[in-house]
Amino acid sequence: WPVPPSFLSRPSGVFLVSSRMSLTTLSTLCVVLVALAAVASATDVVGTQFLNHIAAHAGVKRTNSGLMYEVIKSGPTDTRHPTTSDRVRVHYRGTLVDGTEFDSSYGREPSTFGVTQVIAGWTEALQLMRAGDKWKLYIPSELAYGNQARGRYIRPNNALIFEVELLAIM
């Protein structure tokens, strides 16, 4: 697709729509912007390939949202699931799909927070867990940070992996 010269000549990709632009140029620009928006909101290629590979493993469950998880350890079944109004105490380890660890509560105090004060993938998973459960979560970018970078390691559209141990519902 030809990109309008006015798009390329502006600093940081900023462009102005001019009344002199042809309808074809405007149509092309719209197609490009729609394609860029689709890419910006989807898990990157490496993450998608990884998630597709994980989905085929025995024991990995997938929810309607695309969150995948496997149970590492089950806690007592006679306890309740957290709700969105609960606070929870957890230990966790977060990695990228290449194994790079970007955060961990192990080696320090467990973290305590509200069920809705975390990324959407965590909020969904926590409500399925019980105290004593330890799960491995495979979270597509749409349920993590989307097209936003976070910290030193998390890039836009990264799928993330977390081991989450639900210690207590507060």
Side-chain angles (χ1 to χ4, degrees):
W1 299 322
V3 177
S6 61
F7 181 81
L8 299 174
S9 64
R10 304 257 180 216
S12 57
V14 174
F15 65 94
L16 298 173
V17 175
S18 162
S19 60
R20 291 181 289 176
M21 284 182 147
S22 72
L23 187 54
T24 302
T25 300
L26 286 174
S27 290
T28 301
L29 185 57
C30 287
V31 168
V32 169
L33 291 175
V34 167
L36 288 173
V39 168
S41 66
T43 301
D44 64 26
V45 173
V46 172
T48 299
Q49 290 173 343
F50 176 82
L51 293 173
N52 288 338
H53 175 74
I54 290 297
H57 286 156
V60 173
K61 297 177 179 149
R62 182 185 168 119
T63 68
N64 289 338
S65 71
L67 169 70
M68 290 186 286
Y69 65 93
E70 58 185 312
V71 177
I72 298 170
K73 182 182 94 176
S74 292
T77 58
D78 61 347
T79 60
R80 68 182 183 89
H81 300 278
T83 67
T84 56
S85 60
D86 286 319
R87 293 179 58 75
V88 293
R89 190 170 72 238
V90 301
H91 259 314
Y92 68 92
R93 176 176 293 111
T95 63
L96 304 177
V97 298
D98 69 2
T100 303
E101 184 175 294
F102 58 83
D103 196 8
S104 177
S105 68
Y106 293 99
R108 64 178 196 245
E109 292 295 313
S111 295
T112 301
F113 47 78
V115 169
T116 60
Q117 293 178 314
V118 288
I119 60 175
W122 269 61
T123 297
E124 181 178 356
L126 287 168
Q127 292 176 86
L128 299 172
M129 297 175 77
R130 297 178 189 272
D133 284 354
K134 183 175 185 178
W135 289 8
K136 192 166 196 177
L137 309 179
Y138 303 97
I139 304 178
S141 67
E142 298 81 21
L143 300 175
Y145 297 105
N147 62 3
Q148 302 294 311
R150 286 287 193 265
R152 181 175 171 193
Y153 297 106
I154 301 173
R155 305 289 23 111
N157 304 315
N158 277 166
L160 303 176
I161 303 165
F162 287 94
E163 282 186 14
V164 178
E165 187 174 2
L166 180 54
L167 302 173
I169 301 169
M170 315 300 273

mmCIF file of all heavy atoms in Angstrom, residues 82-112:
data_model
loop_
_atom_site.group_PDB
_atom_site.id
_atom_site.type_symbol
_atom_site.label_atom_id
_atom_site.label_comp_id
_atom_site.label_asym_id
_atom_site.label_seq_id
_atom_site.Cartn_x
_atom_site.Cartn_y
_atom_site.Cartn_z
ATOM 1 N N PRO A 82 -12.465 -16.609 45.644
ATOM 2 C CA PRO A 82 -12.517 -15.161 45.863
ATOM 3 C C PRO A 82 -13.528 -14.507 44.913
ATOM 4 O O PRO A 82 -13.779 -15.022 43.823
ATOM 5 C CB PRO A 82 -11.103 -14.679 45.517
ATOM 6 C CG PRO A 82 -10.251 -15.886 45.481
ATOM 7 C CD PRO A 82 -11.156 -17.050 45.179
ATOM 8 N N THR A 83 -14.085 -13.404 45.344
ATOM 9 C CA THR A 83 -14.969 -12.602 44.502
ATOM 10 C C THR A 83 -14.278 -11.280 44.197
ATOM 11 O O THR A 83 -13.231 -10.970 44.762
ATOM 12 C CB THR A 83 -16.311 -12.317 45.207
ATOM 13 O OG1 THR A 83 -16.050 -11.467 46.336
ATOM 14 C CG2 THR A 83 -16.991 -13.603 45.660
ATOM 15 N N THR A 84 -14.888 -10.483 43.344
ATOM 16 C CA THR A 84 -14.286 -9.197 42.970
ATOM 17 C C THR A 84 -14.204 -8.222 44.146
ATOM 18 O O THR A 84 -13.438 -7.264 44.087
ATOM 19 C CB THR A 84 -15.060 -8.541 41.815
ATOM 20 O OG1 THR A 84 -16.431 -8.396 42.195
ATOM 21 C CG2 THR A 84 -14.950 -9.366 40.546
ATOM 22 N N SER A 85 -14.929 -8.469 45.200
ATOM 23 C CA SER A 85 -14.863 -7.567 46.355
ATOM 24 C C SER A 85 -13.823 -8.020 47.392
ATOM 25 O O SER A 85 -13.604 -7.329 48.391
ATOM 26 C CB SER A 85 -16.235 -7.429 47.011
ATOM 27 O OG SER A 85 -16.688 -8.689 47.451
ATOM 28 N N ASP A 86 -13.188 -9.156 47.159
ATOM 29 C CA ASP A 86 -12.202 -9.685 48.114
ATOM 30 C C ASP A 86 -10.800 -9.136 47.872
ATOM 31 O O ASP A 86 -10.469 -8.681 46.778
ATOM 32 C CB ASP A 86 -12.129 -11.216 48.009
ATOM 33 C CG ASP A 86 -13.316 -11.903 48.629
ATOM 34 O OD1 ASP A 86 -13.766 -11.467 49.704
ATOM 35 O OD2 ASP A 86 -13.792 -12.892 48.030
ATOM 36 N N ARG A 87 -10.013 -9.244 48.929
ATOM 37 C CA ARG A 87 -8.569 -9.047 48.844
ATOM 38 C C ARG A 87 -7.950 -10.431 49.011
ATOM 39 O O ARG A 87 -8.513 -11.289 49.682
ATOM 40 C CB ARG A 87 -8.071 -8.088 49.924
ATOM 41 C CG ARG A 87 -8.595 -6.650 49.709
ATOM 42 C CD ARG A 87 -8.143 -5.676 50.780
ATOM 43 N NE ARG A 87 -6.704 -5.561 50.937
ATOM 44 C CZ ARG A 87 -5.877 -4.902 50.103
ATOM 45 N NH1 ARG A 87 -6.361 -4.309 49.044
ATOM 46 N NH2 ARG A 87 -4.577 -4.835 50.348
ATOM 47 N N VAL A 88 -6.795 -10.620 48.388
ATOM 48 C CA VAL A 88 -6.129 -11.919 48.460
ATOM 49 C C VAL A 88 -4.654 -11.736 48.794
ATOM 50 O O VAL A 88 -4.080 -10.668 48.564
ATOM 51 C CB VAL A 88 -6.263 -12.697 47.120
ATOM 52 C CG1 VAL A 88 -7.705 -13.092 46.858
ATOM 53 C CG2 VAL A 88 -5.688 -11.906 45.958
ATOM 54 N N ARG A 89 -4.076 -12.792 49.349
ATOM 55 C CA ARG A 89 -2.617 -12.818 49.593
ATOM 56 C C ARG A 89 -2.055 -13.922 48.717
ATOM 57 O O ARG A 89 -2.539 -15.057 48.746
ATOM 58 C CB ARG A 89 -2.302 -13.056 51.066
ATOM 59 C CG ARG A 89 -0.802 -12.846 51.357
ATOM 60 C CD ARG A 89 -0.469 -12.840 52.840
ATOM 61 N NE ARG A 89 -0.585 -14.185 53.385
ATOM 62 C CZ ARG A 89 -1.377 -14.532 54.389
ATOM 63 N NH1 ARG A 89 -2.131 -13.629 54.998
ATOM 64 N NH2 ARG A 89 -1.426 -15.772 54.817
ATOM 65 N N VAL A 90 -1.032 -13.590 47.929
ATOM 66 C CA VAL A 90 -0.472 -14.545 46.973
ATOM 67 C C VAL A 90 1.055 -14.485 46.959
ATOM 68 O O VAL A 90 1.661 -13.480 47.334
ATOM 69 C CB VAL A 90 -0.967 -14.275 45.529
ATOM 70 C CG1 VAL A 90 -2.473 -14.342 45.425
ATOM 71 C CG2 VAL A 90 -0.455 -12.958 45.000
ATOM 72 N N HIS A 91 1.628 -15.580 46.512
ATOM 73 C CA HIS A 91 3.006 -15.608 46.051
ATOM 74 C C HIS A 91 2.909 -15.816 44.551
ATOM 75 O O HIS A 91 2.006 -16.516 44.070
ATOM 76 C CB HIS A 91 3.797 -16.759 46.684
ATOM 77 C CG HIS A 91 4.681 -16.346 47.812
ATOM 78 N ND1 HIS A 91 5.525 -15.254 47.780
ATOM 79 C CD2 HIS A 91 4.867 -16.904 49.019
ATOM 80 C CE1 HIS A 91 6.178 -15.153 48.914
ATOM 81 N NE2 HIS A 91 5.792 -16.148 49.705
ATOM 82 N N TYR A 92 3.819 -15.214 43.800
ATOM 83 C CA TYR A 92 3.757 -15.350 42.346
ATOM 84 C C TYR A 92 5.136 -15.179 41.725
ATOM 85 O O TYR A 92 6.061 -14.632 42.331
ATOM 86 C CB TYR A 92 2.800 -14.310 41.746
ATOM 87 C CG TYR A 92 3.316 -12.903 41.891
ATOM 88 C CD1 TYR A 92 4.089 -12.317 40.891
ATOM 89 C CD2 TYR A 92 3.059 -12.156 43.040
ATOM 90 C CE1 TYR A 92 4.586 -11.030 41.034
ATOM 91 C CE2 TYR A 92 3.550 -10.880 43.182
ATOM 92 C CZ TYR A 92 4.309 -10.320 42.181
ATOM 93 O OH TYR A 92 4.806 -9.058 42.325
ATOM 94 N N ARG A 93 5.239 -15.662 40.512
ATOM 95 C CA ARG A 93 6.429 -15.466 39.685
ATOM 96 C C ARG A 93 5.935 -15.182 38.273
ATOM 97 O O ARG A 93 5.142 -15.958 37.733
ATOM 98 C CB ARG A 93 7.309 -16.709 39.687
ATOM 99 C CG ARG A 93 8.528 -16.632 38.788
ATOM 100 C CD ARG A 93 9.421 -17.854 38.899
ATOM 101 N NE ARG A 93 10.021 -17.899 40.233
ATOM 102 C CZ ARG A 93 9.731 -18.808 41.172
ATOM 103 N NH1 ARG A 93 8.841 -19.745 40.931
ATOM 104 N NH2 ARG A 93 10.325 -18.783 42.345
ATOM 105 N N GLY A 94 6.392 -14.086 37.673
ATOM 106 C CA GLY A 94 5.990 -13.722 36.316
ATOM 107 C C GLY A 94 7.156 -13.835 35.351
ATOM 108 O O GLY A 94 8.251 -13.368 35.644
ATOM 109 N N THR A 95 6.892 -14.467 34.198
ATOM 110 C CA THR A 95 7.922 -14.590 33.168
ATOM 111 C C THR A 95 7.345 -14.268 31.794
ATOM 112 O O THR A 95 6.128 -14.336 31.582
ATOM 113 C CB THR A 95 8.525 -16.014 33.112
ATOM 114 O OG1 THR A 95 7.513 -16.937 32.748
ATOM 115 C CG2 THR A 95 9.146 -16.426 34.440
ATOM 116 N N LEU A 96 8.249 -13.941 30.895
ATOM 117 C CA LEU A 96 7.894 -13.819 29.492
ATOM 118 C C LEU A 96 7.891 -15.227 28.898
ATOM 119 O O LEU A 96 8.363 -16.175 29.525
ATOM 120 C CB LEU A 96 8.916 -12.949 28.762
ATOM 121 C CG LEU A 96 9.136 -11.538 29.323
ATOM 122 C CD1 LEU A 96 10.237 -10.819 28.546
ATOM 123 C CD2 LEU A 96 7.847 -10.733 29.302
ATOM 124 N N VAL A 97 7.422 -15.369 27.668
ATOM 125 C CA VAL A 97 7.367 -16.701 27.064
ATOM 126 C C VAL A 97 8.758 -17.276 26.816
ATOM 127 O O VAL A 97 8.914 -18.493 26.690
ATOM 128 C CB VAL A 97 6.525 -16.729 25.764
ATOM 129 C CG1 VAL A 97 5.081 -16.354 26.054
ATOM 130 C CG2 VAL A 97 7.116 -15.855 24.683
ATOM 131 N N ASP A 98 9.797 -16.436 26.793
ATOM 132 C CA ASP A 98 11.163 -16.944 26.621
ATOM 133 C C ASP A 98 11.804 -17.346 27.948
ATOM 134 O O ASP A 98 12.967 -17.732 27.995
ATOM 135 C CB ASP A 98 12.044 -15.938 25.885
ATOM 136 C CG ASP A 98 12.344 -14.678 26.692
ATOM 137 O OD1 ASP A 98 11.921 -14.556 27.865
ATOM 138 O OD2 ASP A 98 13.017 -13.793 26.138
ATOM 139 N N GLY A 99 11.042 -17.237 29.050
ATOM 140 C CA GLY A 99 11.541 -17.641 30.363
ATOM 141 C C GLY A 99 12.135 -16.510 31.191
ATOM 142 O O GLY A 99 12.478 -16.709 32.357
ATOM 143 N N THR A 100 12.258 -15.314 30.622
ATOM 144 C CA THR A 100 12.797 -14.170 31.361
ATOM 145 C C THR A 100 11.872 -13.807 32.511
ATOM 146 O O THR A 100 10.698 -13.501 32.298
ATOM 147 C CB THR A 100 12.964 -12.941 30.438
ATOM 148 O OG1 THR A 100 13.815 -13.292 29.351
ATOM 149 C CG2 THR A 100 13.519 -11.751 31.196
ATOM 150 N N GLU A 101 12.391 -13.875 33.741
ATOM 151 C CA GLU A 101 11.587 -13.503 34.905
ATOM 152 C C GLU A 101 11.581 -11.987 35.040
ATOM 153 O O GLU A 101 12.619 -11.353 35.064
ATOM 154 C CB GLU A 101 12.170 -14.135 36.173
ATOM 155 C CG GLU A 101 11.330 -13.875 37.401
ATOM 156 C CD GLU A 101 11.860 -14.597 38.628
ATOM 157 O OE1 GLU A 101 11.829 -15.843 38.643
ATOM 158 O OE2 GLU A 101 12.318 -13.902 39.548
ATOM 159 N N PHE A 102 10.382 -11.408 35.137
ATOM 160 C CA PHE A 102 10.276 -9.960 35.290
ATOM 161 C C PHE A 102 9.778 -9.549 36.667
ATOM 162 O O PHE A 102 9.891 -8.380 37.038
ATOM 163 C CB PHE A 102 9.403 -9.336 34.189
ATOM 164 C CG PHE A 102 8.002 -9.875 34.131
ATOM 165 C CD1 PHE A 102 7.011 -9.387 34.959
ATOM 166 C CD2 PHE A 102 7.680 -10.867 33.224
ATOM 167 C CE1 PHE A 102 5.726 -9.886 34.904
ATOM 168 C CE2 PHE A 102 6.389 -11.372 33.154
ATOM 169 C CZ PHE A 102 5.411 -10.874 33.992
ATOM 170 N N ASP A 103 9.238 -10.475 37.438
ATOM 171 C CA ASP A 103 8.793 -10.133 38.785
ATOM 172 C C ASP A 103 8.552 -11.417 39.576
ATOM 173 O O ASP A 103 8.207 -12.453 39.000
ATOM 174 C CB ASP A 103 7.493 -9.322 38.729
ATOM 175 C CG ASP A 103 7.174 -8.605 40.032
ATOM 176 O OD1 ASP A 103 8.023 -8.602 40.950
ATOM 177 O OD2 ASP A 103 6.068 -8.052 40.144
ATOM 178 N N SER A 104 8.739 -11.327 40.879
ATOM 179 C CA SER A 104 8.481 -12.467 41.752
ATOM 180 C C SER A 104 8.322 -11.983 43.178
ATOM 181 O O SER A 104 9.040 -11.091 43.618
ATOM 182 C CB SER A 104 9.633 -13.471 41.672
ATOM 183 O OG SER A 104 9.411 -14.537 42.564
ATOM 184 N N SER A 105 7.384 -12.590 43.884
ATOM 185 C CA SER A 105 7.230 -12.280 45.309
ATOM 186 C C SER A 105 8.002 -13.272 46.163
ATOM 187 O O SER A 105 8.147 -13.068 47.361
ATOM 188 C CB SER A 105 5.751 -12.299 45.701
ATOM 189 O OG SER A 105 5.246 -13.618 45.616
ATOM 190 N N TYR A 106 8.478 -14.347 45.544
ATOM 191 C CA TYR A 106 9.273 -15.318 46.304
ATOM 192 C C TYR A 106 10.588 -14.642 46.697
ATOM 193 O O TYR A 106 11.166 -13.890 45.935
ATOM 194 C CB TYR A 106 9.530 -16.581 45.469
ATOM 195 C CG TYR A 106 8.269 -17.362 45.203
ATOM 196 C CD1 TYR A 106 7.603 -17.248 43.994
ATOM 197 C CD2 TYR A 106 7.733 -18.189 46.176
ATOM 198 C CE1 TYR A 106 6.433 -17.959 43.749
ATOM 199 C CE2 TYR A 106 6.566 -18.901 45.951
ATOM 200 C CZ TYR A 106 5.925 -18.776 44.733
ATOM 201 O OH TYR A 106 4.763 -19.479 44.511
ATOM 202 N N GLY A 107 11.011 -14.877 47.921
ATOM 203 C CA GLY A 107 12.195 -14.198 48.427
ATOM 204 C C GLY A 107 11.863 -12.898 49.146
ATOM 205 O O GLY A 107 12.739 -12.212 49.650
ATOM 206 N N ARG A 108 10.591 -12.549 49.154
ATOM 207 C CA ARG A 108 10.112 -11.400 49.923
ATOM 208 C C ARG A 108 8.736 -11.773 50.473
ATOM 209 O O ARG A 108 8.288 -12.899 50.323
ATOM 210 C CB ARG A 108 10.068 -10.128 49.068
ATOM 211 C CG ARG A 108 9.107 -10.160 47.908
ATOM 212 C CD ARG A 108 9.098 -8.815 47.156
ATOM 213 N NE ARG A 108 7.954 -8.700 46.305
ATOM 214 C CZ ARG A 108 8.001 -8.637 44.981
ATOM 215 N NH1 ARG A 108 9.161 -8.684 44.361
ATOM 216 N NH2 ARG A 108 6.893 -8.526 44.287
ATOM 217 N N GLU A 109 8.094 -10.845 51.089
ATOM 218 C CA GLU A 109 6.762 -11.104 51.648
ATOM 219 C C GLU A 109 5.751 -11.367 50.533
ATOM 220 O O GLU A 109 5.862 -10.799 49.449
ATOM 221 C CB GLU A 109 6.299 -9.891 52.464
ATOM 222 C CG GLU A 109 7.090 -9.658 53.731
ATOM 223 C CD GLU A 109 6.909 -10.791 54.731
ATOM 224 O OE1 GLU A 109 5.758 -11.204 54.970
ATOM 225 O OE2 GLU A 109 7.928 -11.260 55.270
ATOM 226 N N PRO A 110 4.753 -12.210 50.792
ATOM 227 C CA PRO A 110 3.678 -12.378 49.802
ATOM 228 C C PRO A 110 2.986 -11.045 49.542
ATOM 229 O O PRO A 110 3.015 -10.141 50.380
ATOM 230 C CB PRO A 110 2.714 -13.357 50.483
ATOM 231 C CG PRO A 110 3.518 -14.041 51.528
ATOM 232 C CD PRO A 110 4.560 -13.043 51.964
ATOM 233 N N SER A 111 2.364 -10.929 48.378
ATOM 234 C CA SER A 111 1.654 -9.708 48.002
ATOM 235 C C SER A 111 0.186 -9.813 48.379
ATOM 236 O O SER A 111 -0.421 -10.875 48.259
ATOM 237 C CB SER A 111 1.772 -9.483 46.496
ATOM 238 O OG SER A 111 3.105 -9.240 46.139
ATOM 239 N N THR A 112 -0.375 -8.689 48.818
ATOM 240 C CA THR A 112 -1.796 -8.611 49.146
ATOM 241 C C THR A 112 -2.412 -7.495 48.314
ATOM 242 O O THR A 112 -1.863 -6.395 48.247
ATOM 243 C CB THR A 112 -1.997 -8.323 50.650
ATOM 244 O OG1 THR A 112 -1.381 -9.369 51.403
ATOM 245 C CG2 THR A 112 -3.479 -8.246 51.002
#
